[in-house]
Structures are given as C-alpha cells and as structure tokens.
Amino acid sequence: MTTRRAVLAGSAAAAAGALLGAPAAQAHSRPKTEPKPTVVLVHGAFADASGWNDVAARLIREGYPVIAPANPLRSVAADSAYLAGILATLSGPIVLAAHSYGGIVVTNAATGNPNVKALVYVAAFAPDEGETLLGLQTKYPGSKLNEAALDFRPYGDGLVDGYIKKEVFRGVFAGDVPRATTDLMWAGQRPADARTLGEPSGAPAWKTIPSHYLVARDDQVLPAAAQRFMARRAGSQVREVGASHVAMISEPAVTADLIKRAAR
C-alpha cells in the first residue's frame, strides 16, 4: 500500500507540475507583440493641430501613441527641419500623416529617416523635387484659394503672412463644417509666410517610403485632380471621400481608418 500511495502521489505531483508549467512554456513560445507605431499628425496652413482632434481621439482610444506638433509655417526648409528634429526624438516605428501644406513638410522631413514606415497624405501636397505649392495648386483648374481670397499682413523686415478672408473662409476652406466651427477656425487660423508658395521642395520621401492618400473630392483649395495626380505618381494607396479641404475634420473616421491601415 505504501509503495502504491507513493507512486500515485508522485504521478499527481508530476501532473500538477506539468499543468502549472504549461502557461509559462506557452508564453515562451508566443512571438512578442510589436508596439504600435507612433502617429505624428502634421497640420497645414490656416489651421492648427486642433484640426486633428477627432482623428487623434480615435487613434488614442485604440492604443496608438499620438503627437500633433505645431507646424511653424515659416518656410518649407525651416518647417521641414523642425519636424525632422521632432522625429529624431522618437524611437520605434513612425507613421506620418499630413494635411495640406503639411504634406510638403513631411515629404522633406521624412527623407532618410529609417523609422518612418508610412506616409499618409490627407488632401495634402506631395511634391517631387523642385516643385512648388503654387505650381501644384494651379496645375489643374478649380482652386478658389487665390490672391483675392487672402489678407496679407506684413511682419518683420519685408516679410508677409497670408490669412484667408473671413467672408470666404468657410466656402473655400471648410464648406462641409458647421459655420459655428468655421467661425472659430477663422478666428484662430495660423497664417503662412507667403514665401512658402514658391519655395521648391527637396528630395521626396515618398520615393522610398510607402504612402496612402485620402482624396477630398469637394476640395476648393487643392483640386481633386491635383491630388489624384500626386497620389498616382507616388504610388500611394488611394481612398476618396466626398469632403472639403479639411477632410480630417469633416470625415475623422475615414481619416483615422486610413492611418490605421498605413500603420499595419
């Protein structure tokens, strides 16, 4: 009896040990989950980082690290260098999403950064080397953002900032956003130095980094035809939406979904 009890006890102990050790063994065999990339949201001219709020909220709820830095809007070279400096402080994979003028900034800032895994253009400029904002904006007809739509205010030594006039702001910039919201957007708009319109872009990151493009079909700033041209040339995965220039504000769910697709 003693021998039988000893054998049974030993078998039970071995079985228990195997059960207790199973999760640990399984844990060692599972691949480690890769961290989600940091999503960097870059605003354009006549706007600020708050334009990304609804998109950022969706991404944060799903566990994405998100930052939306202020774009200085002083010059293509200076703004790109500023963003490149921010990107250099981030570890791990990065997805860059840009709106409007922010597109030329990320196109330059991401060049040569091995951490940037994808670019997302939201009704944004995606220039090739040597191209300018004005050249792309006027490449196809349809833009209502012309000199007559702008107020120019001097600053510094011979420098000039451009603002969209109040009476045309909603129709030109954000026609599908409630007027109460666009009134606030106009009041707090960030001006761009007028020199940015003619400043040539550098070597484009989209030649080496995969890209996605959200075309805003009802855009009155950057014609949809120009957006399609840039997206096709960059080899971007394209999605279209019936939205004004500020598609990230009027269609935040669509915009967030595209960013998440790029982050996979």
Side-chain angles (χ1 to χ4, degrees):
M1 287 295 294
T2 301
T3 303
R4 185 181 176 189
R5 286 178 185 152
V7 170
L8 290 173
S11 299
L19 288 172
L20 289 171
Q26 290 170 8
H28 285 303
S29 65
R30 292 176 190 145
K32 291 183 179 179
T33 303
E34 292 186 2
K36 289 186 175 180
T38 298
V39 177
V40 181
L41 305 170
V42 183
H43 69 82
F46 318 115
D48 62 20
S50 68
W52 288 105
N53 280 356
D54 286 347
V55 172
R58 284 168 166 78
L59 296 172
I60 290 169
R61 280 199 299 269
E62 297 198 26
Y64 289 91
V66 175
I67 64 170
N71 187 351
L73 306 178
R74 298 298 83 194
S75 75
V76 173
D79 298 342
S80 300
Y82 179 81
L83 179 60
I86 291 175
L87 299 180
T89 68
L90 303 176
S91 59
I94 299 168
V95 171
L96 272 175
H99 172 244
S100 192
Y101 167 76
I104 194 171
V105 176
V106 304
T107 295
N108 287 272
T111 300
N113 187 328
N115 287 341
V116 179
K117 65 174 290 183
L119 304 169
V120 181
Y121 293 95
V122 180
F125 291 89
D128 202 346
E129 188 167 5
E131 290 182 334
T132 67
L133 297 174
L134 186 60
L136 289 168
Q137 184 187 342
T138 58
K139 184 177 180 68
Y140 297 89
S143 178
K144 294 181 180 178
L145 185 64
N146 50 34
E147 190 171 340
L150 297 172
D151 284 326
F152 295 100
R153 299 173 186 169
Y155 76 95
D157 186 13
L159 303 175
V160 178
D161 269 340
Y163 299 76
I164 301 178
K165 292 179 177 178
K166 185 175 184 179
E167 60 267 27
V168 300
F169 184 90
R170 183 170 185 268
V172 169
F173 197 63
D176 53 357
V177 176
R179 186 169 296 279
T181 301
T182 58
D183 284 348
L184 290 174
M185 290 169 62
W186 173 82
Q189 68 176 297
R190 295 274 310 282
D193 189 304
R195 294 173 301 173
T196 61
L197 289 170
E199 187 176 351
S201 187
W206 50 257
K207 286 194 173 179
T208 56
I209 300 173
S211 62
H212 292 66
Y213 201 110
L214 183 62
V215 173
R217 288 193 296 267
D218 304 324
D219 198 326
Q220 303 299 307
V221 174
L222 182 60
Q227 296 178 42
R228 295 183 185 110
F229 162 75
M230 291 184 285
R232 183 170 58 251
R233 180 177 62 182
S236 304
Q237 294 190 39
V238 179
R239 183 167 181 179
E240 296 204 6
V241 64
S244 70
H245 187 55
V246 292
M248 73 289 188
I249 296 177
S250 61
E251 296 288 347
V254 174
T255 306
D257 285 345
L258 189 64
I259 294 171
K260 288 186 289 183
R261 183 179 295 275
R264 291 174 185 167

